[in-house]
Amino acid sequence: MAQRLKDAFASAAKRVSQASGGGSGGGGGGRAAAAAAQSVTALAVAGGLAYGTYNSVYTVPGGHRAVIFNRVLGMKDSIYGEGLNFNIPWFERPVIYDIRTRPVNLQTLTGSKDLQMVTIAVRVLHKPNPSKLVWIYRMLGTNYDERILPSIMNESAKAIVARYNANELLTKREIVSREVSMDLQRRAAKFNVILDDVAITHLSFSPEYARAVEAKQVAQQDAEKAKYVVLGAQQEKKTIITRARGEAESAELIGLAVKKNPGFMKLRRIDAARDIADIVAKSGNKVYLNADSLLLNLLGDADDKFEKSVASKWR
């Protein structure tokens, strides 16, 4: 548009110069000058109308709102919605805001209740209050999120994290996240900023604390292992005691059985002889054993002597 106006004025000036230089009579030169002046005036009016028409309308995209700054009155109280809108050229200037939810990642270093340094990162979904855009522009400007979110996030995170110990920040992460979200929303509402969601994305401790936690876990595992070793030794002790009691009771019962019935020893000798015979029969080597080795000397007088000695004791 400016180039067209420039070309039109240059053409009009050229025509005026030709008319004034080429005319022989005063009347002809006057008419040419008047015609040139009319042409220049018409071009100026057309250019002004074109400029005014072009700058008197603006478009608000979807998901946006506009406020108007007037050079005479200042900020107008009206908020303009999506679509085509009108303004007074040069006197008014539209400022367009994006009212859709946008993410921002914030990070800060703070201390816990037990004086452990904690690095906490928070992801915030925010947007301006559409009905308070005039106030936001007056007080905060277009970059409102860069002005207020880092400061209120730092203060809120430091205030909430200081209420918990380092281990509670891990075990009660959901509660900590909810408290941070509520505090941030309360603080942001004072600046007419809406927070749709607040979430803790990262939580880390100092290297010294991480090593201390790892050492503690290793010590706890070693203690659990030692506890199970002690329990195993106790169970083994009970097993040995139970086995010894069983063997003692078995020996006592065997003694009582022998006293009451001397033939019990003959049965035991026969069982032992059967076991020996089975082992020898399954062996691939040739073994020659006499009856005494097989405990089969049942015809001897050893059992008779034993029975007589037992009977004499019972008498």
Side-chain angles (χ1 to χ4, degrees), residues 168-185:
E168 292 178 340
L169 293 175
L170 297 176
T171 58
K172 300 180 179 179
R173 180 166 181 166
E174 182 179 357
I175 299 176
V176 175
S177 179
R178 183 168 62 250
E179 291 187 1
V180 171
S181 176
M182 294 174 60
D183 192 69
L184 278 177
Q185 290 177 355

Side-chain angles (χ1 to χ4, degrees), residues 214-228:
E214 183 179 0
K216 179 180 178 181
Q217 294 296 325
V218 172
Q220 288 180 350
Q221 293 177 359
D222 292 340
E224 291 292 330
K225 182 179 178 181
K227 182 173 70 175
Y228 284 112

Side-chain angles (χ1 to χ4, degrees), residues 262-282:
F264 178 78
M265 295 303 299
K266 289 184 179 181
L267 293 176
R268 285 300 182 93
R269 293 178 63 185
I270 293 172
D271 292 337
R274 185 184 300 112
D275 293 337
I276 295 173
D278 291 338
I279 295 173
V280 172
K282 294 178 181 178

Side-chain angles (χ1 to χ4, degrees), residues 48-69:
L49 290 174
Y51 173 81
T53 303
Y54 179 78
N55 290 277
S56 63
V57 295
Y58 62 95
T59 302
V60 179
H64 294 69
R65 296 291 185 273
V67 294
I68 296 296
F69 173 76

Side-chain angles (χ1 to χ4, degrees), residues 35-280:
Q38 291 178 357
S39 299
V40 171
T41 302
L43 289 174
V45 171
L49 290 174
Y51 173 81
T53 303
Y54 179 78
N55 290 277
S56 63
V57 295
Y58 62 95
T59 302
V60 179
H64 294 69
R65 296 291 185 273
V67 294
I68 296 296
F69 173 76
N70 190 288
R71 293 181 182 270
V72 178
L73 303 176
M75 290 298 300
K76 299 176 68 174
D77 295 332
S78 301
I79 299 175
Y80 299 89
E82 304 168 356
L84 189 65
N85 295 278
F86 298 91
N87 67 316
I88 302 174
W90 190 82
F91 285 96
E92 294 181 348
R93 174 172 56 87
V95 179
I96 299 177
Y97 275 92
D98 186 356
I99 62 170
R100 295 172 295 184
T101 300
R102 292 181 296 170
V104 61
N105 294 318
L106 305 172
Q107 182 172 324
T108 185
L109 179 65
T110 182
S112 61
K113 186 177 180 180
D114 52 355
L115 304 181
Q116 296 295 331
M117 300 308 298
V118 182
T119 300
I120 181 172
V122 178
R123 181 179 176 86
V124 179
L125 299 179
H126 71 283
K127 63 182 179 182
N129 188 343
S131 62
K132 300 294 183 180
L133 293 179
V134 176
W135 184 92
I136 292 176
Y137 184 77
R138 283 175 177 167
M139 301 299 175
L140 303 175
T142 55
N143 58 343
Y144 65 93
D145 51 347
E146 298 177 2
R147 291 174 178 266
I148 65 167
L149 290 181
S151 60
I152 65 174
M153 184 271 172
N154 288 333
E155 182 62 25
S156 178
K158 292 178 184 296
I160 300 301
V161 172
R163 302 175 187 174
Y164 297 90
N165 294 329
N167 59 341
E168 292 178 340
L169 293 175
L170 297 176
T171 58
K172 300 180 179 179
R173 180 166 181 166
E174 182 179 357
I175 299 176
V176 175
S177 179
R178 183 168 62 250
E179 291 187 1
V180 171
S181 176
M182 294 174 60
D183 192 69
L184 278 177
Q185 290 177 355
R186 179 180 58 83
R187 294 174 182 269
K190 298 179 180 179
F191 299 95
N192 295 312
V193 177
I194 300 174
L195 302 185
D196 291 334
D197 182 68
V198 178
I200 297 177
T201 59
H202 181 69
L203 192 65
S204 62
F205 302 93
S206 62
E208 293 79 9
Y209 181 78
R211 287 193 292 268
V213 171
E214 183 179 0
K216 179 180 178 181
Q217 294 296 325
V218 172
Q220 288 180 350
Q221 293 177 359
D222 292 340
E224 291 292 330
K225 182 179 178 181
K227 182 173 70 175
Y228 284 112
V229 170
V230 172
L231 291 176
Q234 292 177 351
Q235 294 296 328
E236 184 177 0
K237 177 182 177 181
K238 292 180 180 179
T239 302
I240 294 173
I241 293 173
T242 303
R243 185 184 299 113
R245 290 177 179 175
E247 292 177 353
E249 292 178 358
S250 176
E252 184 178 358
L253 293 175
I254 291 173
L256 291 175
V258 170
K259 289 179 180 179
K260 293 180 178 179
N261 187 7
F264 178 78
M265 295 303 299
K266 289 184 179 181
L267 293 176
R268 285 300 182 93
R269 293 178 63 185
I270 293 172
D271 292 337
R274 185 184 300 112
D275 293 337
I276 295 173
D278 291 338
I279 295 173
V280 172

